[in-house]
Amino acid sequence: MQPITKTLITDDCSLNTGNFLKACRRQPTDVTPVWFMRQAGRYMAEYRAIREKYSLLEIVKQPELAAEVTLQPVRAFGVDAAILFADILLPLEPLGLDFEFARGEGPVIHNPIRALADVRALRPFHAEESLSHVMDAIKLLRGELKDTPLIGFSGAPFTVASYMIEGGASREYKTTKLMMYSTPEVWHALMEKLSDALADYLTAQIRAGAQAVQLFDSWVGALNPQDYAEFVLPYSQKVLKAAHETGVPVIHFGTGATTLLPLMKQAGGDVLGLDWRIPLDDGWKLIGHDRAVQGNLDPITLFAPLPELKKRIHDILRRAEGRPGHIFNVGHGILQHTPENHVRAAVDFVHEYHLNP
Amino acid sequence: MQPITKTLITDDCSLNTGNFLKACRRQPTDVTPVWFMRQAGRYMAEYRAIREKYSLLEIVKQPELAAEVTLQPVRAFGVDAAILFADILLPLEPLGLDFEFARGEGPVIHNPIRALADVRALRPFHAEESLSHVMDAIKLLRGELKDTPLIGFSGAPFTVASYMIEGGASREYKTTKLMMYSTPEVWHALMEKLSDALADYLTAQIRAGAQAVQLFDSWVGALNPQDYAEFVLPYSQKVLKAAHETGVPVIHFGTGATTLLPLMKQAGGDVLGLDWRIPLDDGWKLIGHDRAVQGNLDPITLFAPLPELKKRIHDILRRAEGRPGHIFNVGHGILQHTPENHVRAAVDFVHEYHLNP
């Protein structure tokens, strides 16, 4: 194994200590906190250097490597929160699915879930044993991170189920939707088991030391509100409730989900994630100001010339003004090839906004 | 060339004559009219038989074949409108782009637009000459269709531009958005030329005999409302205005575009298309009842068991009740492998709804 670079979180990075957790709780902050979904990853040269030697799953399964990669953007850009380097599909293998990241193809599940027998064949899942390496990475990170809070995460039941059913990524979610429409008993049996597993996974991360958690329902925007209410909401609610009861802030995120936002709020979350398709102020109003919001820069904006990037970041911050409870973020994960110096500039634009709004 | 099957539009198909055009104008109809985006295509055995002998572009370029394929779903299912069999990318070749449908890869443009010089190099476009085969197919169809109205169509400037810039289909629209953000002068020059060409294309189809037209802005849902207003609206407006001035009804369609609907209405259209992500009544309210609406069945529902399909069609029809101006349709094109008998059943469920709502 590669020796881990000595991690040094400088004073500079912890200047805005506590702002992220305060904003989650809608408490006033001195500046708007900022972190980025997929802030660790291929766009960073430091990460690519590690990926030359290890596969994604090798990194995730070695707590020292996972911790190192998690720390890279914290050291490099001074973001206000770290998010554990992991993958929403990690629970699949312990659940008994034959899962791999195929070269250039993304995730492939060789034995997708199609029938009740497949659901019954899922193995018992105990996150603390099955994914002990994730918990170990969290414990390591809490020692390293000093004052920067650590976010744990999990995929939401719909999004994870869509991979288990389709056998990989999807564009139409045809097999997933048809399971709802044609064999709802199979769907509900799967979601029952899966939501138990994900609730266990998320709370295990909190017990290990995660100071906030995010539930990623990245693909839920493929559904209409009626289907969300019937087939998804109760299961997301179960996972979010389990996390909420631990007392740490819970972020609930989807993309393309404008028409689902009121139902997603009902499902739970102290913070609702917004993508760029809805102006931040409109989205916050739709959700209600009794929740915090996170978002909502189009990740492609991070490739734009810096004056344009600054203008667009300021626009979002302006729309959030007047009340506490905004965490700046992208509306979907940072893309490969994003210039690192633009990510650094974006953090500074957010932190320095109050000086010259 | 294959001899064309004698087209026979039976009385049965023209029972509800005029309902489609009446609904476009928000006039009362005896039953709700129904047609389906991509109602002609690979899911039909009759179409596949023709495609065994001809490529997509060969069909489109031979008016008799294009007309035959256009008529297939009208004969088979008794839909209330025909839509010309064509492709939104047909204007690319006459504009000077090196464009082909690569096997299994979808459209590929070998010389995408990236700089002002590329825009300046676009060839003058006169739809009646450059795409005379499209106009010939329309003339043929008007002779064949009797009382079933014929819809012409074109891609909207944003959606067509995204192919011209990306060089094919896209998931992120990164190059397209970065042209807006980094070199807006190139973007506006392209949209100026392209919207002139598409206005000419759409009005030429009307002059040839199309009795309504639809502008497909299929991918515009990738944008936020501010970018739509600045970079897209004026150009869509130009095309929609040119079509509107001819006096035929104009349908304006996008997907994933809930937050853009008020701006899309401002851009134009007698009818606004809705996808399934917003309940039809909510969408109509958001647009305003001074416009007709088209939609909004999730195309995957057409694979569901017939009782489930019927329930979901009835739900949409119920949400539209109380005022004229609803055209039943899918929220996005019919998918490959859709069972033909389910499409036929869907038409009947819509037409027979008033008997047992």
Side-chain angles (χ1 to χ4, degrees), chain B residues 239-310:
Chain B
V239 181
L240 291 160
K241 187 166 177 277
H244 180 74
E245 283 171 353
T246 65
V248 311
V250 179
I251 307 168
H252 188 188
F253 167 78
T255 62
T258 299
T259 58
L260 306 181
L261 286 172
L263 293 168
M264 288 178 71
K265 174 191 184 177
Q266 196 183 318
D270 304 286
V271 184
L272 274 286
L274 293 171
D275 78 9
W276 63 90
R277 292 177 180 86
I278 189 160
L280 190 98
D281 43 352
D282 292 349
W284 207 347
K285 200 172 153 195
L286 182 61
I287 289 162
H289 296 123
D290 56 344
R291 292 292 183 279
V293 290
Q294 179 174 280
N296 69 344
L297 187 76
D298 187 335
I300 287 165
T301 319
L302 288 169
F303 292 84
L306 291 180
E308 185 66 27
L309 174 58
K310 183 175 183 176

Side-chain angles (χ1 to χ4, degrees), chain A residues 273-286:
Chain A
L274 293 171
D275 78 7
W276 61 90
R277 291 176 180 87
I278 190 160
L280 190 99
D281 43 352
D282 292 348
W284 207 348
K285 200 172 152 194
L286 182 61

